[in-house]
Amino acid sequence: MMRRSNTRRGGIRLAAVMICATAGAAADAQQERLSRPYFTEIRDRIPSYNLYGLPGLVDMPTAEMAPDATLGVTVSNFGNTTRGTLSFQVLPRVIGTFRYARLQDSNIPGNRDGDYFDRSFDLRVMLLDETTFLPALSVGLRDFVGTGLYAGEYVVATKEIVPGVRVTGGLGWGRLGTNNPIATVGTRPNTVNGALDPSVIGTGGEANFDTYFRGDAAPFGGVSWDIDDNWRLKVEYSSDDYTIEETRTTSFERNSSFNFGVDYTFDNGTQLSLYSLYGSEFGAQLSFPLNLKTAQISGGNDPAPLPVAPRPAAQINMLGWAESPELRASISEQLAEALIDQGIRLEGLSMTARTATARIDNLRYPVRSQAIGRTARTMTRILPSSISDFTIVLTQDGLPLSAVDIARGDLERFEFEAAQEMYPRVRFTDAVGRTPPVFDDVYPRFGWSLRPYLRYSAFDPDDPLRTEYGVRANGDVVLAPGLEMQGTLAYPLGGNIAGAADDTSTRLPSVRTSFPLFADTDGLRIDDLTLAYYARPAEDFYGRMTVGYLERMYAGVSAELLWKPVDSRLALGAEVNYVRLRDYDGGFGIQENATPEQLRASDAVGDGTFPELNGHVSAYYDLGYGFHTQLDVGRYLAGDYGATLTVAREFENGWRVGAFATQTDVSADEFGEGSFDKGITITIPFAVLGGRATQRTRTDTIRPITRDGGARVSVPGRLYGRVREAHDPEIAKSWGRFWR
């Protein structure tokens, strides 16, 4: 122990020398900062992320926020604690966080071989902006939906007193109220001497409203100094006494309330932080902030858009071409060839002496506005001068989605103006009754790909990250407009997902927790194989019927009806599914929805089986500011009834971050660990990799724990995602790309 203590004192001295040396070397840089305005770019700069993955000092929070739409990923380690955090600046004043932590050498109930793994969510709201005389003021909840290991609440203020120097002071409850408390507010349940009792750390998932801002309250504070654009020094006084780490682990001691840190920010925004903590430990952290709103999407290898071709006045009234079938056919061929070079397929074209309607399928561009603009400009170069009005019908695999009316004269007048000058002159209508016939040679259409794949399963306490990797072949054929067959073959080469245990903490049928049984195969398997038919039964209505092997676990039939006017932010839908379990080997076999391997009949709800029929009614609404909401109400795979609320923020460049929560008639005890289904989704546009524009994306779901309650079947090609991208409210958001 004496040797360990000497090491700690030596570490503190080294940290002090490092901070003093850095401060002395940066004195000249600070003089330049003193000449700047006090509040220049305060809200636009990337903050320092603390060890909990939020804007803060070292371990303590500040009142600061990241720039709006910043996605922050941090990985840190100190002592026996490792934390990985994902934070998102949901709104300029609201930031949310998901955290996964590992405590080594622990005897906390629920540990696995001495390691305890914890999942937690945080939320912080800024109440007041910083002004010339007043500090920024924020309130935060830490681990408010989790096990309670890190649970705490705080009110904190931060003020820049001179350029680059910010002072923070706050009052904390829960863990943040355990070191030298100065007041007590009521009684906080599940605590011993003001600190969380480790023996009552729960399975998590439920908000503990009766504990918020209750119990002992303690002060914390600190100072940060931005020496220049790269270096930052921090010192803080911590109000967390780390009782759990000291009493329930064998490798942590808290000898001081003061922490010290230094950040270095690289030119790309990545931050490296080094810390001296609690008089006994050294720590390090890497932070990767990315602003999704301003993230650039490369398309440098795409061909330049064609310029608008003004019509010679003498040719505007030349109509002879309209009576020549040969000329009309030649015009269609020329337009089709010109558009395919732009990544757009011409599926049909109808023309009169003064109007032209082009039916197109956008094959390349992530946003429809860019495809509309390129199609319109190409039409000005190919179509006869007498045609003054264009209609562009947007389709998806032959399904008409919307019709866009554009006056040719407006294209000629506003080509060199901002795209927003064109938007009020464009009209969006439903495509029903306005769609030209499909060319004979468009369908059937084939497509395929062969790529490596990586599937992962996170947060298994026995192995926090399980993976499966291999080769995957995708194929699709559009047999006729709206009739599509698609399938995926996978050949796994390795991984350990199959080694995950079928969790027994849930009393529901194993509709999802038995997935490892479906991964335990070495040969070629069918991940999905479906035949789908899409139709327009009436104006504003869309229909889908899908049959086949819908996903890795289930086969069956799925039917969906969607009501979505082309100019409306609101959509309503209904889906019904009849499903059966597939055989584990990934072949063509079908089994009953109850097997000895999957069901724990003595504990299962009802008779130990789960129903074949499930479905939902859904409401979708575009809130504006990039926010979309979806509410699904109905019956889930395990036979439970309830609702799922999804809120997502989307950006013009294709990034998307969302969160969802499902509550059903299943109790927390029946659901098992996690109490109810919830998670975060992140969609990454492949265009960030550079090169040509592409519509390909990857969506990952971060679900703290997979359970059987609130589970839905995965059906490819659901309607809302296909339809809304071609409608007015969505196109308006990206209209700035009309001329690109």
Side-chain angles (χ1 to χ4, degrees):
M1 292 297 297
M2 182 62 70
R3 183 177 60 187
R4 180 177 174 83
S5 178
N6 289 338
T7 302
R8 293 187 184 117
R9 287 198 296 269
I12 295 172
R13 288 196 296 269
L14 177 59
V17 170
M18 176 181 65
I19 292 174
C20 291
T22 306
D28 292 339
Q30 177 64 5
Q31 291 299 317
E32 178 183 351
R33 289 185 61 87
L34 289 172
S35 65
R36 303 178 186 176
Y38 268 25
F39 305 106
T40 299
E41 299 180 349
I42 287 179
R43 293 297 299 276
D44 294 329
R45 67 177 178 79
I46 298 295
S48 174
Y49 288 88
N50 66 11
L51 285 165
Y52 282 93
L54 280 165
L57 293 164
V58 179
D59 214 23
M60 297 293 104
T62 63
E64 298 169 286
M65 294 284 163
D68 185 32
T70 297
L71 184 71
V73 178
T74 67
V75 180
S76 64
N77 178 266
F78 72 96
N80 63 341
T81 298
T82 302
R83 297 176 189 151
T85 302
L86 176 71
S87 68
F88 181 57
Q89 193 70 41
V90 183
L91 290 167
R93 292 175 176 269
V94 180
I95 188 170
T97 299
F98 170 71
R99 180 182 308 104
Y100 192 58
R102 175 192 183 193
L103 273 71
Q104 296 174 279
D105 307 321
S106 164
N107 62 3
I108 297 174
N111 76 86
R112 306 294 179 100
D113 298 325
D115 290 344
Y116 181 79
F117 296 93
D118 181 80
R119 302 168 297 272
S120 57
F121 292 88
D122 293 6
L123 184 68
R124 179 188 299 175
V125 178
M126 177 178 280
L127 303 179
L128 296 175
D129 277 313
E130 182 177 351
T131 66
T132 303
F133 300 106
L134 295 177
L137 181 68
S138 294
V139 59
L141 302 175
R142 197 171 73 188
D143 195 3
F144 73 102
V145 183
T147 64
L149 176 67
Y150 292 120
E153 305 82 47
Y154 56 89
V155 177
V156 60
T158 299
K159 182 77 175 72
E160 187 171 33
I161 55 175
V162 296
V165 178
R166 285 175 292 282
V167 177
T168 292
L171 196 62
W173 288 261
R175 277 194 60 147
L176 292 172
T178 52
N179 181 45
N180 297 325
I182 60 174
T184 301
V185 181
T187 302
R188 191 179 185 97
N190 301 330
T191 59
V192 176
N193 297 324
L196 179 70
D197 182 356
S199 66
V200 300
I201 292 177
T203 58
E206 295 185 291
N208 301 311
F209 296 104
D210 59 340
T211 67
Y212 296 162
F213 300 97
R214 303 289 297 277
D216 291 342
F220 61 86
V223 179
S224 69
W225 176 23
D226 287 351
I227 300 172
D228 55 26
D229 291 338
N230 301 106
W231 292 96
R232 177 185 289 119
L233 301 180
K234 299 176 292 186
V235 60
E236 70 176 17
Y237 175 84
S238 172
S239 61
D240 187 345
D241 68 359
Y242 271 72
T243 297
I244 294 175
E245 284 78 1
E246 279 204 299
T247 61
R248 291 282 179 162
T249 66
T250 59
S251 57
F252 185 89
E253 291 186 18
R254 187 185 190 283
N255 298 329
S256 172
S257 297
F258 289 95
N259 298 323
F260 305 89
V262 56
D263 297 340
Y264 182 80
T265 302
F266 296 88
D267 291 341
N268 63 358
T270 301
Q271 295 176 357
L272 171 64
S273 303
L274 300 176
Y275 305 116
S276 173
L277 294 130
Y278 298 105
S280 61
E281 304 291 347
F282 282 110
Q285 176 170 284
L286 278 173
S287 305
F288 306 93
L290 174 66
N291 192 291
L292 304 189
K293 183 167 30 176
T294 60
Q296 296 297 311
I297 299 297
S298 176
N301 294 332
D302 285 322
L306 297 172
V308 172
R311 292 170 292 174
Q315 298 181 13
I316 290 178
N317 293 315
M318 297 178 61
L319 307 178
W321 65 270
E323 304 299 327
S324 172
E326 292 79 10
L327 284 175
R328 296 170 71 93
S330 176
I331 291 168
S332 294
E333 291 176 4
Q334 293 179 54
L335 183 59
E337 291 176 2
L339 285 176
I340 201 66
D341 289 340
Q342 300 286 315
I344 299 163
R345 176 183 289 112
L346 181 67
E347 294 190 339
L349 179 67
S350 63
M351 295 180 289
T352 69
R354 298 296 183 185
T355 66
T357 301
R359 173 181 182 141
I360 67 164
D361 192 357
N362 170 31
L363 306 178
R364 178 181 300 167
Y365 303 104
V367 293
R368 303 296 180 106
S369 57
Q370 192 168 0
I372 295 169
R374 293 202 170 210
T375 299
R377 278 181 287 182
T378 304
M379 291 172 74
T380 69
R381 305 188 65 82
I382 305 295
L383 299 188
S385 297
S386 67
I387 295 178
S388 58
D389 294 297
F390 298 159
T391 297
I392 300 171
V393 175
L394 303 175
T395 71
Q396 175 75 41
D397 292 329
L399 180 69
L401 304 175
S402 65
V404 186
D405 295 325
I406 304 176
R408 188 171 186 170
D410 288 336
L411 293 168
E412 295 168 342
R413 283 191 295 272
F414 295 103
E415 180 184 12
F416 301 106
E417 303 294 334
Q420 297 307 322
E421 294 292 331
M422 276 293 300
Y423 179 72
R425 295 166 173 82
V426 173
R427 188 169 68 101
F428 292 83
T429 62
D430 198 296
V432 171
R434 307 195 64 197
T435 305
V438 178
F439 294 146
D440 293 336
D441 59 350
V442 173
Y443 297 103
R445 176 174 59 81
F446 300 89
W448 68 278
S449 65
L450 180 65
R451 299 185 180 94
Y453 77 89
L454 173 67
R455 174 181 285 148
Y456 67 90
S457 174
F459 314 124
D460 181 342
D462 293 323
D463 196 334
L465 183 63
R466 293 184 179 273
T467 62
E468 178 188 277
Y469 57 90
V471 179
R472 177 182 291 156
N474 300 89
D476 68 271
V477 52
V478 183
L479 301 168
L483 184 61
E484 177 182 359
M485 176 178 283
Q486 67 86 34
T488 304
L489 295 175
Y491 190 87
L493 298 175
N496 61 349
I497 288 181
D502 182 8
D503 197 290
T504 59
S505 66
T506 175
R507 295 176 56 196
L508 294 172
S510 300
V511 296
R512 283 301 179 202
T513 53
S514 60
F515 181 79
L517 298 174
F518 291 84
D520 191 14
T521 177
D522 296 328
L524 188 69
R525 65 168 185 249
I526 302 170
D527 275 359
D528 55 73
L529 180 62
T530 60
L531 177 67
Y533 178 65
Y534 298 87
R536 296 296 313 272
E539 187 172 327
D540 299 334
F541 283 90
Y542 303 80
R544 173 186 59 80
M545 178 70 75
T546 305
V547 60
Y549 300 89
L550 303 175
E551 52 152 283
R552 183 64 185 88
M553 292 183 68
Y554 294 97
V557 180
S558 175
E560 182 183 7
L561 183 67
L562 178 73
W563 173 81
K564 174 66 172 71
V566 72
D567 58 352
S568 174
R569 292 186 175 188
L570 175 68
L572 301 174
E575 178 183 285
V576 61
N577 307 303
Y578 178 89
V579 298
R580 293 274 297 276
L581 277 165
R582 297 178 56 189
D583 278 349
Y584 302 135
D585 62 6
F588 291 101
I590 302 294
Q591 57 180 314
E592 296 292 332
N593 284 358
T595 64
E597 295 89 344
Q598 293 176 295
L599 300 179
R600 296 169 291 280
S602 59
D603 295 328
V605 174
D607 62 358
T609 64
F610 58 94
E612 296 168 335
L613 197 66
N614 60 77
H616 291 76
V617 293
S618 303
Y620 313 84
Y621 192 73
D622 182 350
L623 295 173
Y625 202 66
F627 283 92
H628 286 266
T629 58
Q630 177 176 340
L631 178 65
D632 304 297
V633 180
R635 191 186 203 191
Y636 294 82
L637 277 171
D640 47 335
Y641 291 86
T644 300
L645 177 63
T646 303
V647 180
R649 188 173 179 191
E650 303 177 356
F651 301 93
E652 178 186 335
N653 53 25
W655 283 93
R656 183 181 189 271
V657 178
F660 65 89
T662 300
Q663 188 69 58
T664 71
D665 56 1
V666 171
S667 69
D669 289 338
E670 290 172 322
F671 184 90
E673 183 179 355
S675 300
F676 65 96
D677 191 39
K678 53 192 169 293
I680 298 168
T681 61
I682 300 177
T683 298
I684 304 172
F686 274 43
V688 300
L689 302 178
R692 298 172 70 89
T694 177
Q695 298 176 11
R696 291 187 61 209
T697 61
R698 178 186 174 96
T699 298
D700 288 297
T701 299
I702 301 173
R703 182 178 264 109
I705 194 150
T706 298
R707 288 293 175 260
D708 297 308
R712 295 185 66 181
V713 63
S714 296
V715 181
R718 283 186 165 120
L719 285 171
Y720 183 68
R722 288 192 169 208
V723 169
R724 72 177 177 90
E725 293 181 358
H727 282 193
D728 185 6
E730 197 66 22
I731 291 176
K733 300 173 187 176
S734 62
W735 193 255
R737 300 183 71 87
F738 177 80
W739 290 122
R740 300 198 48 190

